[in-house]
Amino acid sequence: MARPLASIAVLLAVSASLTACGGDTSGSAKKVEPSAATVTPAAQTTGTNTPTFRFPPDLTVDIQGFESKDATESSVLRDASYAIQAILEAEAGDQTVETPNFKRYWTGPHGAEYADMIIGRIKSGKSITGTYRYYSATVKPGQGGARIVDYCEDQREAYDKDAKTGKAAVTTPSLSDFRSWSLVLRKGAVGDWQVTTYNWVKGAKSCRVA
């Protein structure tokens, strides 16, 4: 791993804001009007086994640069992008069970813990809205045939939302909106690269963009 995995206790402690915007709150909330749901072409591929993600119209997923000329790296990055989308699909939905896409791309004890955290957020009435951006992805070898994908996330225009009222907790952009992620993926029995371990750092200066 590129960075130490956060302990289970730490992961549970931060579950309430795992994908919510980390900027300074403005103390205000507003209802976000629906717009066309968007996923950038870079996050999509064609094929008979390509997953379908269902996002609400007020959520935009912008994934750029998850590509490689190397065939193995390309498949790892593709499935890492699917793992990202599986998080957002679950966070923005209303299912109180693990979603099929999340179960497909996240596995093991850490995957189960993450699913439980998302379900906890949903049960508490929280959802997400806005634009989530992902970029600067790299792949490197891990132990026992695993691959490690490091990438950046920008949540400056991403917010928590009250699922019932549709009101977003709008925040002021800050360094805390930038996060660095590290996923450890292993190829599963059916050929998908699945996340077995993950770590993220909030307020990552290395991920800050204009």
Side-chain angles (χ1 to χ4, degrees):
M1 290 182 59
R3 289 182 290 272
L5 174 68
S7 68
I8 292 175
V10 172
L11 293 175
L12 293 176
V14 301
S15 62
S17 61
L18 197 52
T19 58
C21 180
D24 299 326
T25 180
S26 64
S28 64
K30 67 178 182 180
K31 188 170 183 177
V32 176
E33 296 300 327
S35 59
T38 303
V39 180
T40 60
Q44 300 296 305
T45 62
T46 58
T48 57
N49 201 32
T50 301
T52 298
F53 295 93
R54 300 182 184 280
F55 300 115
D58 61 343
L59 182 67
T60 297
V61 184
D62 184 2
I63 301 177
Q64 299 289 341
F66 279 61
E67 302 165 342
S68 174
K69 294 181 179 179
D70 179 84
T72 298
E73 288 190 2
S74 179
S75 64
V76 172
L77 289 168
R78 177 200 64 207
D79 288 354
S81 77
Y82 290 156
I84 291 169
Q85 292 177 77
I87 295 173
L88 299 177
E89 179 187 48
E91 287 263 10
D94 58 4
Q95 292 192 46
T96 54
V97 295
E98 192 173 358
T99 63
N101 283 326
F102 194 93
K103 186 178 295 185
R104 177 175 175 180
Y105 291 103
W106 291 78
T107 189
H110 295 120
E113 289 159 9
Y114 203 156
D116 287 345
M117 287 187 264
I118 293 174
I119 291 169
R121 282 175 50 83
I122 293 170
K123 288 182 177 179
S124 70
K126 291 183 179 180
S127 185
I128 56 174
T129 187
T131 299
Y132 289 78
R133 296 185 171 90
Y134 302 90
Y135 49 95
S136 299
T138 61
V139 182
K140 57 189 176 185
Q143 295 181 349
R147 296 294 187 277
I148 301 169
V149 176
D150 294 331
Y151 61 92
C152 291
E153 178 182 26
D154 176 0
Q155 292 190 5
R156 286 176 296 175
E157 297 177 358
Y159 313 109
D160 260 345
K161 182 178 75 171
D162 186 297
K164 290 184 178 180
T165 66
K167 289 184 177 180
V170 179
T171 56
T172 302
S174 71
L175 176 62
S176 64
D177 292 319
F178 296 101
R179 300 185 180 188
S180 63
W181 282 81
S182 184
L183 307 180
V184 178
L185 299 98
R186 295 183 182 277
K187 184 171 285 191
V190 299
D192 294 324
W193 288 92
Q194 299 175 304
V195 180
T196 60
T197 303
Y198 67 96
N199 182 46
W200 59 269
V201 177
K202 186 176 180 178
K205 292 182 179 180
S206 61
C207 289
R208 184 163 51 187
V209 293

